Amino acid sequence: FLKAAAAKKRKFQVVVCEGAPHFGGHSMAKSLAEAGIETTVIHDSATFAIMARVNKVILPAHAVLANGGLIAPSGSNMVALAAKQNSVPVVIVTGMFKLCPMYPHEGQDTLNDLVSPSSVVDYSMMSDSVISKVEFINPVHDYLTPNLINLYVTNIGTYQPSYVYRLLAEYYHSEDWESFE
């Protein structure tokens, strides 16, 4: 998406959150810089501080839920909340194949995967009696409510979160949904 815009000679700067603890932002920043895009990497905790200088937030999707909500990489909710506070639009780039007929009615935990906390804490520290009593949680995804999202950009067009349920009805037969119930 960004590389295609740069190929059309559009001038813009990209600020990338590092994406701790897996640091996927580092590889993305390198890829963008190699494409000639002016890129800055910031620490995740600096998101709110830098948001006043941002024109729009672009996030990826793991899954787009029927209510217009989003399952996105961990840390995305913090970015979207900072954007909302600063009146910065949040744009989600996704394919139609990521539409999911599920609703987040059972809470965030049913829609999330937890992975080993080894990327958050070194296991050698667990011998410390105080640290060993701390629970470390390392979620893979965040849930973003529809009110934090301004626009979905898909392979077939752009849509507001309130229109996602309609896309599900247009592109998927109701019998396809039965496997999710």
PDB file of all heavy atoms in Angstrom, residues 116-146:
ATOM      1  N   SER A 116       4.210 -17.491  24.437  1.00  0.00           N
ATOM      2  CA  SER A 116       5.190 -17.579  25.508  1.00  0.00           C
ATOM      3  C   SER A 116       5.688 -16.192  25.907  1.00  0.00           C
ATOM      4  O   SER A 116       6.014 -15.372  25.040  1.00  0.00           O
ATOM      5  CB  SER A 116       6.378 -18.427  25.066  1.00  0.00           C
ATOM      6  OG  SER A 116       7.429 -18.319  25.988  1.00  0.00           O
ATOM      7  N   PRO A 117       5.772 -15.926  27.200  1.00  0.00           N
ATOM      8  CA  PRO A 117       6.275 -14.622  27.633  1.00  0.00           C
ATOM      9  C   PRO A 117       7.795 -14.490  27.539  1.00  0.00           C
ATOM     10  O   PRO A 117       8.364 -13.520  28.021  1.00  0.00           O
ATOM     11  CB  PRO A 117       5.795 -14.531  29.085  1.00  0.00           C
ATOM     12  CG  PRO A 117       5.626 -15.923  29.531  1.00  0.00           C
ATOM     13  CD  PRO A 117       5.259 -16.713  28.306  1.00  0.00           C
ATOM     14  N   SER A 118       8.458 -15.447  26.917  1.00  0.00           N
ATOM     15  CA  SER A 118       9.917 -15.398  26.828  1.00  0.00           C
ATOM     16  C   SER A 118      10.416 -14.162  26.094  1.00  0.00           C
ATOM     17  O   SER A 118      11.544 -13.721  26.308  1.00  0.00           O
ATOM     18  CB  SER A 118      10.451 -16.654  26.153  1.00  0.00           C
ATOM     19  OG  SER A 118       9.991 -16.733  24.827  1.00  0.00           O
ATOM     20  N   SER A 119       9.595 -13.570  25.227  1.00  0.00           N
ATOM     21  CA  SER A 119      10.011 -12.344  24.541  1.00  0.00           C
ATOM     22  C   SER A 119       9.803 -11.110  25.419  1.00  0.00           C
ATOM     23  O   SER A 119      10.271 -10.030  25.087  1.00  0.00           O
ATOM     24  CB  SER A 119       9.271 -12.190  23.217  1.00  0.00           C
ATOM     25  OG  SER A 119       7.888 -12.169  23.430  1.00  0.00           O
ATOM     26  N   VAL A 120       9.100 -11.278  26.534  1.00  0.00           N
ATOM     27  CA  VAL A 120       8.852 -10.174  27.459  1.00  0.00           C
ATOM     28  C   VAL A 120       9.820 -10.216  28.635  1.00  0.00           C
ATOM     29  O   VAL A 120      10.277  -9.181  29.118  1.00  0.00           O
ATOM     30  CB  VAL A 120       7.392 -10.222  27.974  1.00  0.00           C
ATOM     31  CG1 VAL A 120       7.132  -9.121  28.980  1.00  0.00           C
ATOM     32  CG2 VAL A 120       6.423 -10.135  26.820  1.00  0.00           C
ATOM     33  N   VAL A 121      10.121 -11.417  29.108  1.00  0.00           N
ATOM     34  CA  VAL A 121      10.984 -11.575  30.272  1.00  0.00           C
ATOM     35  C   VAL A 121      11.936 -12.749  30.053  1.00  0.00           C
ATOM     36  O   VAL A 121      11.554 -13.755  29.452  1.00  0.00           O
ATOM     37  CB  VAL A 121      10.162 -11.767  31.561  1.00  0.00           C
ATOM     38  CG1 VAL A 121       9.360 -13.041  31.526  1.00  0.00           C
ATOM     39  CG2 VAL A 121      11.019 -11.699  32.796  1.00  0.00           C
ATOM     40  N   ASP A 122      13.152 -12.587  30.525  1.00  0.00           N
ATOM     41  CA  ASP A 122      14.147 -13.648  30.441  1.00  0.00           C
ATOM     42  C   ASP A 122      13.845 -14.683  31.526  1.00  0.00           C
ATOM     43  O   ASP A 122      13.696 -14.331  32.696  1.00  0.00           O
ATOM     44  CB  ASP A 122      15.539 -13.055  30.635  1.00  0.00           C
ATOM     45  CG  ASP A 122      16.656 -14.058  30.436  1.00  0.00           C
ATOM     46  OD1 ASP A 122      16.360 -15.195  30.012  1.00  0.00           O
ATOM     47  OD2 ASP A 122      17.815 -13.709  30.704  1.00  0.00           O
ATOM     48  N   TYR A 123      13.752 -15.940  31.136  1.00  0.00           N
ATOM     49  CA  TYR A 123      13.399 -16.986  32.105  1.00  0.00           C
ATOM     50  C   TYR A 123      14.443 -17.141  33.215  1.00  0.00           C
ATOM     51  O   TYR A 123      14.131 -17.635  34.287  1.00  0.00           O
ATOM     52  CB  TYR A 123      13.186 -18.325  31.406  1.00  0.00           C
ATOM     53  CG  TYR A 123      11.837 -18.427  30.737  1.00  0.00           C
ATOM     54  CD1 TYR A 123      11.726 -18.742  29.397  1.00  0.00           C
ATOM     55  CD2 TYR A 123      10.670 -18.204  31.458  1.00  0.00           C
ATOM     56  CE1 TYR A 123      10.487 -18.833  28.783  1.00  0.00           C
ATOM     57  CE2 TYR A 123       9.430 -18.283  30.854  1.00  0.00           C
ATOM     58  CZ  TYR A 123       9.344 -18.593  29.520  1.00  0.00           C
ATOM     59  OH  TYR A 123       8.124 -18.676  28.926  1.00  0.00           O
ATOM     60  N   SER A 124      15.667 -16.703  32.996  1.00  0.00           N
ATOM     61  CA  SER A 124      16.675 -16.800  34.055  1.00  0.00           C
ATOM     62  C   SER A 124      16.328 -15.900  35.237  1.00  0.00           C
ATOM     63  O   SER A 124      16.779 -16.124  36.346  1.00  0.00           O
ATOM     64  CB  SER A 124      18.058 -16.457  33.510  1.00  0.00           C
ATOM     65  OG  SER A 124      18.092 -15.110  33.085  1.00  0.00           O
ATOM     66  N   MET A 125      15.492 -14.887  34.979  1.00  0.00           N
ATOM     67  CA  MET A 125      15.064 -13.989  36.064  1.00  0.00           C
ATOM     68  C   MET A 125      14.030 -14.654  36.969  1.00  0.00           C
ATOM     69  O   MET A 125      13.750 -14.165  38.060  1.00  0.00           O
ATOM     70  CB  MET A 125      14.478 -12.701  35.484  1.00  0.00           C
ATOM     71  CG  MET A 125      15.468 -11.839  34.756  1.00  0.00           C
ATOM     72  SD  MET A 125      14.691 -10.395  33.997  1.00  0.00           S
ATOM     73  CE  MET A 125      13.934  -9.602  35.389  1.00  0.00           C
ATOM     74  N   MET A 126      13.449 -15.747  36.520  1.00  0.00           N
ATOM     75  CA  MET A 126      12.385 -16.397  37.292  1.00  0.00           C
ATOM     76  C   MET A 126      12.896 -17.010  38.591  1.00  0.00           C
ATOM     77  O   MET A 126      12.111 -17.369  39.455  1.00  0.00           O
ATOM     78  CB  MET A 126      11.683 -17.462  36.446  1.00  0.00           C
ATOM     79  CG  MET A 126      10.982 -16.885  35.226  1.00  0.00           C
ATOM     80  SD  MET A 126       9.870 -15.522  35.591  1.00  0.00           S
ATOM     81  CE  MET A 126       8.472 -16.417  36.177  1.00  0.00           C
ATOM     82  N   SER A 127      14.197 -17.117  38.744  1.00  0.00           N
ATOM     83  CA  SER A 127      14.739 -17.641  39.995  1.00  0.00           C
ATOM     84  C   SER A 127      14.618 -16.610  41.123  1.00  0.00           C
ATOM     85  O   SER A 127      14.669 -16.960  42.295  1.00  0.00           O
ATOM     86  CB  SER A 127      16.196 -18.052  39.818  1.00  0.00           C
ATOM     87  OG  SER A 127      16.965 -16.936  39.417  1.00  0.00           O
ATOM     88  N   ASP A 128      14.418 -15.352  40.761  1.00  0.00           N
ATOM     89  CA  ASP A 128      14.190 -14.305  41.754  1.00  0.00           C
ATOM     90  C   ASP A 128      12.829 -14.539  42.398  1.00  0.00           C
ATOM     91  O   ASP A 128      11.813 -14.695  41.715  1.00  0.00           O
ATOM     92  CB  ASP A 128      14.227 -12.936  41.075  1.00  0.00           C
ATOM     93  CG  ASP A 128      14.088 -11.770  42.038  1.00  0.00           C
ATOM     94  OD1 ASP A 128      13.346 -11.898  43.032  1.00  0.00           O
ATOM     95  OD2 ASP A 128      14.719 -10.732  41.782  1.00  0.00           O
ATOM     96  N   SER A 129      12.768 -14.553  43.723  1.00  0.00           N
ATOM     97  CA  SER A 129      11.515 -14.891  44.425  1.00  0.00           C
ATOM     98  C   SER A 129      10.408 -13.877  44.163  1.00  0.00           C
ATOM     99  O   SER A 129       9.231 -14.230  44.152  1.00  0.00           O
ATOM    100  CB  SER A 129      11.772 -15.023  45.928  1.00  0.00           C
ATOM    101  OG  SER A 129      12.225 -13.783  46.462  1.00  0.00           O
ATOM    102  N   VAL A 130      10.751 -12.626  43.945  1.00  0.00           N
ATOM    103  CA  VAL A 130       9.722 -11.606  43.685  1.00  0.00           C
ATOM    104  C   VAL A 130       9.209 -11.737  42.252  1.00  0.00           C
ATOM    105  O   VAL A 130       8.000 -11.741  42.010  1.00  0.00           O
ATOM    106  CB  VAL A 130      10.279 -10.191  43.940  1.00  0.00           C
ATOM    107  CG1 VAL A 130       9.256  -9.134  43.571  1.00  0.00           C
ATOM    108  CG2 VAL A 130      10.692 -10.040  45.400  1.00  0.00           C
ATOM    109  N   ILE A 131      10.112 -11.843  41.300  1.00  0.00           N
ATOM    110  CA  ILE A 131       9.733 -11.938  39.880  1.00  0.00           C
ATOM    111  C   ILE A 131       8.933 -13.212  39.614  1.00  0.00           C
ATOM    112  O   ILE A 131       8.020 -13.220  38.792  1.00  0.00           O
ATOM    113  CB  ILE A 131      10.976 -11.881  38.968  1.00  0.00           C
ATOM    114  CG1 ILE A 131      11.658 -10.529  39.075  1.00  0.00           C
ATOM    115  CG2 ILE A 131      10.635 -12.181  37.532  1.00  0.00           C
ATOM    116  CD1 ILE A 131      10.894  -9.381  38.470  1.00  0.00           C
ATOM    117  N   SER A 132       9.258 -14.284  40.313  1.00  0.00           N
ATOM    118  CA  SER A 132       8.565 -15.550  40.067  1.00  0.00           C
ATOM    119  C   SER A 132       7.087 -15.481  40.459  1.00  0.00           C
ATOM    120  O   SER A 132       6.296 -16.310  40.036  1.00  0.00           O
ATOM    121  CB  SER A 132       9.252 -16.690  40.815  1.00  0.00           C
ATOM    122  OG  SER A 132       9.149 -16.500  42.210  1.00  0.00           O
ATOM    123  N   LYS A 133       6.683 -14.471  41.240  1.00  0.00           N
ATOM    124  CA  LYS A 133       5.278 -14.309  41.638  1.00  0.00           C
ATOM    125  C   LYS A 133       4.500 -13.415  40.673  1.00  0.00           C
ATOM    126  O   LYS A 133       3.305 -13.231  40.834  1.00  0.00           O
ATOM    127  CB  LYS A 133       5.202 -13.733  43.047  1.00  0.00           C
ATOM    128  CG  LYS A 133       5.758 -14.679  44.094  1.00  0.00           C
ATOM    129  CD  LYS A 133       5.719 -14.066  45.461  1.00  0.00           C
ATOM    130  CE  LYS A 133       6.361 -15.039  46.454  1.00  0.00           C
ATOM    131  NZ  LYS A 133       6.515 -14.459  47.765  1.00  0.00           N
ATOM    132  N   VAL A 134       5.189 -12.865  39.686  1.00  0.00           N
ATOM    133  CA  VAL A 134       4.557 -11.977  38.707  1.00  0.00           C
ATOM    134  C   VAL A 134       4.048 -12.809  37.533  1.00  0.00           C
ATOM    135  O   VAL A 134       4.743 -13.692  37.035  1.00  0.00           O
ATOM    136  CB  VAL A 134       5.559 -10.915  38.196  1.00  0.00           C
ATOM    137  CG1 VAL A 134       4.936 -10.059  37.108  1.00  0.00           C
ATOM    138  CG2 VAL A 134       6.048 -10.057  39.348  1.00  0.00           C
ATOM    139  N   GLU A 135       2.830 -12.526  37.090  1.00  0.00           N
ATOM    140  CA  GLU A 135       2.279 -13.208  35.919  1.00  0.00           C
ATOM    141  C   GLU A 135       2.577 -12.365  34.686  1.00  0.00           C
ATOM    142  O   GLU A 135       2.237 -11.181  34.634  1.00  0.00           O
ATOM    143  CB  GLU A 135       0.770 -13.397  36.062  1.00  0.00           C
ATOM    144  CG  GLU A 135       0.155 -14.103  34.888  1.00  0.00           C
ATOM    145  CD  GLU A 135      -1.353 -14.268  35.030  1.00  0.00           C
ATOM    146  OE1 GLU A 135      -1.966 -13.634  35.899  1.00  0.00           O
ATOM    147  OE2 GLU A 135      -1.912 -15.047  34.244  1.00  0.00           O
ATOM    148  N   PHE A 136       3.203 -12.950  33.686  1.00  0.00           N
ATOM    149  CA  PHE A 136       3.532 -12.265  32.444  1.00  0.00           C
ATOM    150  C   PHE A 136       2.593 -12.763  31.353  1.00  0.00           C
ATOM    151  O   PHE A 136       2.499 -13.960  31.107  1.00  0.00           O
ATOM    152  CB  PHE A 136       4.989 -12.537  32.040  1.00  0.00           C
ATOM    153  CG  PHE A 136       5.986 -11.933  32.985  1.00  0.00           C
ATOM    154  CD1 PHE A 136       6.494 -12.664  34.035  1.00  0.00           C
ATOM    155  CD2 PHE A 136       6.396 -10.626  32.816  1.00  0.00           C
ATOM    156  CE1 PHE A 136       7.409 -12.110  34.907  1.00  0.00           C
ATOM    157  CE2 PHE A 136       7.310 -10.056  33.679  1.00  0.00           C
ATOM    158  CZ  PHE A 136       7.815 -10.799  34.736  1.00  0.00           C
ATOM    159  N   ILE A 137       1.908 -11.833  30.704  1.00  0.00           N
ATOM    160  CA  ILE A 137       0.961 -12.175  29.638  1.00  0.00           C
ATOM    161  C   ILE A 137       1.461 -11.530  28.347  1.00  0.00           C
ATOM    162  O   ILE A 137       1.796 -10.351  28.321  1.00  0.00           O
ATOM    163  CB  ILE A 137      -0.458 -11.690  29.987  1.00  0.00           C
ATOM    164  CG1 ILE A 137      -0.924 -12.378  31.269  1.00  0.00           C
ATOM    165  CG2 ILE A 137      -1.418 -11.945  28.840  1.00  0.00           C
ATOM    166  CD1 ILE A 137      -2.242 -11.889  31.783  1.00  0.00           C
ATOM    167  N   ASN A 138       1.480 -12.310  27.283  1.00  0.00           N
ATOM    168  CA  ASN A 138       1.993 -11.842  26.001  1.00  0.00           C
ATOM    169  C   ASN A 138       0.948 -12.109  24.911  1.00  0.00           C
ATOM    170  O   ASN A 138       1.009 -13.115  24.209  1.00  0.00           O
ATOM    171  CB  ASN A 138       3.314 -12.557  25.694  1.00  0.00           C
ATOM    172  CG  ASN A 138       4.048 -11.931  24.532  1.00  0.00           C
ATOM    173  OD1 ASN A 138       3.653 -10.909  24.014  1.00  0.00           O
ATOM    174  ND2 ASN A 138       5.125 -12.582  24.114  1.00  0.00           N
ATOM    175  N   PRO A 139      -0.040 -11.204  24.762  1.00  0.00           N
ATOM    176  CA  PRO A 139      -1.071 -11.413  23.746  1.00  0.00           C
ATOM    177  C   PRO A 139      -0.557 -11.144  22.338  1.00  0.00           C
ATOM    178  O   PRO A 139       0.316 -10.303  22.134  1.00  0.00           O
ATOM    179  CB  PRO A 139      -2.152 -10.402  24.118  1.00  0.00           C
ATOM    180  CG  PRO A 139      -1.412  -9.318  24.820  1.00  0.00           C
ATOM    181  CD  PRO A 139      -0.248  -9.977  25.507  1.00  0.00           C
ATOM    182  N   VAL A 140      -1.104 -11.850  21.380  1.00  0.00           N
ATOM    183  CA  VAL A 140      -0.714 -11.687  19.979  1.00  0.00           C
ATOM    184  C   VAL A 140      -1.527 -10.577  19.318  1.00  0.00           C
ATOM    185  O   VAL A 140      -1.007  -9.844  18.478  1.00  0.00           O
ATOM    186  CB  VAL A 140      -0.913 -13.017  19.203  1.00  0.00           C
ATOM    187  CG1 VAL A 140      -0.576 -12.851  17.733  1.00  0.00           C
ATOM    188  CG2 VAL A 140      -0.079 -14.116  19.826  1.00  0.00           C
ATOM    189  N   HIS A 141      -2.789 -10.431  19.727  1.00  0.00           N
ATOM    190  CA  HIS A 141      -3.687  -9.486  19.070  1.00  0.00           C
ATOM    191  C   HIS A 141      -4.390  -8.565  20.062  1.00  0.00           C
ATOM    192  O   HIS A 141      -4.469  -8.871  21.250  1.00  0.00           O
ATOM    193  CB  HIS A 141      -4.762 -10.243  18.266  1.00  0.00           C
ATOM    194  CG  HIS A 141      -4.193 -11.144  17.244  1.00  0.00           C
ATOM    195  ND1 HIS A 141      -4.210 -12.513  17.380  1.00  0.00           N
ATOM    196  CD2 HIS A 141      -3.572 -10.897  16.074  1.00  0.00           C
ATOM    197  CE1 HIS A 141      -3.631 -13.058  16.333  1.00  0.00           C
ATOM    198  NE2 HIS A 141      -3.231 -12.105  15.534  1.00  0.00           N
ATOM    199  N   ASP A 142      -4.922  -7.471  19.531  1.00  0.00           N
ATOM    200  CA  ASP A 142      -5.798  -6.556  20.264  1.00  0.00           C
ATOM    201  C   ASP A 142      -7.140  -6.526  19.552  1.00  0.00           C
ATOM    202  O   ASP A 142      -7.218  -6.747  18.339  1.00  0.00           O
ATOM    203  CB  ASP A 142      -5.250  -5.123  20.227  1.00  0.00           C
ATOM    204  CG  ASP A 142      -4.242  -4.826  21.306  1.00  0.00           C
ATOM    205  OD1 ASP A 142      -4.128  -5.628  22.251  1.00  0.00           O
ATOM    206  OD2 ASP A 142      -3.570  -3.780  21.204  1.00  0.00           O
ATOM    207  N   TYR A 143      -8.185  -6.207  20.320  1.00  0.00           N
ATOM    208  CA  TYR A 143      -9.493  -5.959  19.720  1.00  0.00           C
ATOM    209  C   TYR A 143      -9.717  -4.459  19.686  1.00  0.00           C
ATOM    210  O   TYR A 143      -9.578  -3.775  20.700  1.00  0.00           O
ATOM    211  CB  TYR A 143     -10.606  -6.643  20.526  1.00  0.00           C
ATOM    212  CG  TYR A 143     -11.983  -6.211  20.088  1.00  0.00           C
ATOM    213  CD1 TYR A 143     -12.459  -6.543  18.818  1.00  0.00           C
ATOM    214  CD2 TYR A 143     -12.799  -5.443  20.910  1.00  0.00           C
ATOM    215  CE1 TYR A 143     -13.703  -6.128  18.399  1.00  0.00           C
ATOM    216  CE2 TYR A 143     -14.050  -5.032  20.501  1.00  0.00           C
ATOM    217  CZ  TYR A 143     -14.501  -5.378  19.238  1.00  0.00           C
ATOM    218  OH  TYR A 143     -15.733  -4.958  18.817  1.00  0.00           O
ATOM    219  N   LEU A 144     -10.055  -3.920  18.524  1.00  0.00           N
ATOM    220  CA  LEU A 144     -10.392  -2.514  18.371  1.00  0.00           C
ATOM    221  C   LEU A 144     -11.888  -2.407  18.146  1.00  0.00           C
ATOM    222  O   LEU A 144     -12.432  -3.066  17.250  1.00  0.00           O
ATOM    223  CB  LEU A 144      -9.670  -1.884  17.175  1.00  0.00           C
ATOM    224  CG  LEU A 144      -8.235  -1.419  17.381  1.00  0.00           C
ATOM    225  CD1 LEU A 144      -7.291  -2.578  17.565  1.00  0.00           C
ATOM    226  CD2 LEU A 144      -7.810  -0.561  16.223  1.00  0.00           C
ATOM    227  N   THR A 145     -12.540  -1.583  18.936  1.00  0.00           N
ATOM    228  CA  THR A 145     -13.973  -1.372  18.765  1.00  0.00           C
ATOM    229  C   THR A 145     -14.219  -0.546  17.499  1.00  0.00           C
ATOM    230  O   THR A 145     -13.341   0.225  17.080  1.00  0.00           O
ATOM    231  CB  THR A 145     -14.574  -0.654  19.991  1.00  0.00           C
ATOM    232  OG1 THR A 145     -13.888   0.591  20.186  1.00  0.00           O
ATOM    233  CG2 THR A 145     -14.440  -1.513  21.247  1.00  0.00           C
ATOM    234  N   PRO A 146     -15.392  -0.678  16.892  1.00  0.00           N
ATOM    235  CA  PRO A 146     -15.672   0.036  15.642  1.00  0.00           C
ATOM    236  C   PRO A 146     -15.563   1.563  15.759  1.00  0.00           C
ATOM    237  O   PRO A 146     -15.230   2.223  14.789  1.00  0.00           O
ATOM    238  CB  PRO A 146     -17.111  -0.370  15.308  1.00  0.00           C
ATOM    239  CG  PRO A 146     -17.340  -1.634  16.041  1.00  0.00           C
ATOM    240  CD  PRO A 146     -16.482  -1.584  17.259  1.00  0.00           C
TER     241      PRO A 146
END
